[in-house]
Amino acid sequence: NAINGSNSMIMVYGEAKSGKSYTLFGCKDNKSSHEMGLFQRCCNYLFTKLHSKSINHKIDISIVAIYKQCMFDLLVDDYRENDFHQLSEISTKTIFNSHELMNILNEAILNKTRSMHRLGMHQNWSSMIIKINITQTINK
């Protein structure tokens, strides 16, 4: 429904080590479609549908981690705690295909790991929010 203009959300919740990341992102080196997670499958579908229709579109992505009521912008290379309180204040990157999206996501996951280590955390106990904004105009 996101292609038709509706807000959409995927939420993964569960105990530590229960397979949330695997369900969402699949295998680390997912070479085949059988190893893809839900996120990559949805993004592939999204880009396929947008490219098959007569729709001009722009897709922006923002990714933050939340830990102990602090937000960390995972699209920047500076891993210090950011002093902002609304998702509208975080950085965004424009993406053009699902491959580029997955590269940005992998970079953000690496930034999340680095920022958690800077906080002295050796466990990855934080939440991650991935916001994808689709702006589209229909060709006439």
Side-chain angles (χ1 to χ4, degrees), residues 63-68 70-82 84 106-129:
I63 306 174
V64 297
I66 300 173
Y67 173 70
K68 291 189 176 180
C70 297
M71 284 198 285
F72 300 87
D73 189 338
L74 298 180
L75 296 183
V76 296
D77 291 332
D78 186 357
Y79 313 118
R80 294 183 313 239
E81 181 179 321
N82 297 294
F84 59 84
N106 289 333
E107 176 186 324
I109 291 170
L110 182 59
N111 287 345
K112 178 182 175 190
T113 302
R114 289 177 183 155
S115 64
M116 294 298 107
H117 282 285
R118 288 226 172 163
L119 289 172
M121 292 182 54
H122 301 289
Q123 301 271 343
N124 204 351
W125 294 336
S126 65
S127 299
M128 188 165 64
I129 297 174

Side-chain angles (χ1 to χ4, degrees), residues 30-94:
N30 49 12
K31 305 280 187 219
S32 73
S33 61
H34 299 305
E35 298 172 333
M36 281 192 270
L38 181 62
F39 185 77
Q40 188 171 1
R41 291 172 192 260
C42 289
C43 291
N44 287 346
Y45 178 82
L46 174 71
F47 280 102
T48 300
K49 286 296 185 184
L50 287 173
H51 290 304
S52 70
K53 295 183 174 187
S54 300
I55 298 174
N56 289 328
H57 61 277
K58 178 183 174 196
I59 300 178
D60 296 313
I61 186 168
S62 303
I63 306 174
V64 297
I66 300 173
Y67 173 70
K68 291 189 176 180
Q69 299 179 340
C70 297
M71 284 198 285
F72 300 87
D73 189 338
L74 298 180
L75 296 183
V76 296
D77 291 332
D78 186 357
Y79 313 118
R80 294 183 313 239
E81 181 179 321
N82 297 294
D83 186 24
F84 59 84
H85 304 285
Q86 295 185 23
L87 287 175
S88 61
E89 299 174 9
I90 63 173
S91 59
T92 62
K93 290 189 178 183
T94 300

